[in-house]
Amino acid sequence: INGKVYTPKGFEQNKPNFSLVVDPTFQNGNFGITTFNKNLKIRFALGSNDIRSIGVFYINDTTKPMLVDVIDEVKNCSFNPSYFCISSSTCKVSGSLHITRYDLANNVFSGTFEFKLYNPNMGCDTFFITQGRFDKKL
């Protein structure tokens, strides 16, 4: 995130620092990733509906609404384009999610992602998320 390596790290009560949920029957294929890094004090979430196969999906695609949420506790910034960009003409959001393996028979869900999130109304710097990846045995 923003040029720094981000990996899930740390503990918070009994919550895992990385969780991934995939449900092909809910909302025509739902998945969600939630992660945090206690040292960097950053939280990151990514999710969508209507995805039940491999492929490339774009954050600006209105047919498959995608949630990207970043919280930087050090800078006291939160960015969720699904919520903050609804009425903002200055808000800029771009990026994609590439599902590379959607294998429910073997319980494996893998992919890569990258996003650029900008909203000057929140008083936060632009968030650049590059070379993101996940590979999870469900």
Side-chain angles (χ1 to χ4, degrees):
I1 295 178
N2 292 345
K4 295 182 181 175
V5 174
Y6 175 92
T7 55
K9 193 170 195 172
F11 299 95
E12 187 172 87
Q13 298 169 354
N14 63 350
K15 297 177 188 173
N17 58 26
F18 175 79
S19 68
L20 187 143
V21 177
V22 176
D23 187 342
T25 62
F26 183 68
Q27 296 181 333
N28 198 32
N30 176 274
F31 85 94
I33 297 170
T34 306
T35 179
F36 65 85
N37 182 306
K38 289 293 276 186
N39 293 350
L40 297 176
K41 297 185 186 240
I42 293 179
R43 298 174 181 280
F44 174 71
L46 170 65
S48 188
N49 300 326
D50 298 316
I51 295 179
R52 295 189 337 194
S53 65
I54 63 171
V56 178
F57 307 95
Y58 297 94
I59 195 169
N60 294 335
D61 183 353
T62 57
T63 63
K64 290 185 185 356
M66 193 176 304
L67 163 77
V68 178
D69 191 7
V70 179
I71 299 170
D72 183 335
E73 295 173 2
V74 172
K75 295 181 180 178
N76 198 25
C77 289
S78 177
F79 193 89
N80 179 327
S82 302
Y83 178 75
F84 294 117
C85 294
I86 293 172
S87 61
S88 174
S89 61
T90 58
C91 186
K92 305 291 183 214
V93 179
S94 61
S96 62
L97 164 72
H98 183 187
I99 305 294
T100 56
R101 187 165 178 197
Y102 192 102
D103 185 349
L104 296 180
N106 292 303
N107 292 321
V108 178
F109 191 72
S110 305
T112 61
F113 56 92
E114 61 180 38
F115 298 100
K116 180 179 179 182
L117 313 169
Y118 171 71
N119 186 351
N121 299 327
M122 293 304 297
C124 301
D125 294 333
T126 300
F127 287 107
F128 294 95
I129 300 170
T130 57
Q131 300 177 348
R133 63 184 166 89
F134 57 92
D135 187 21
K136 179 77 172 171
K137 180 104 171 139
L138 304 172

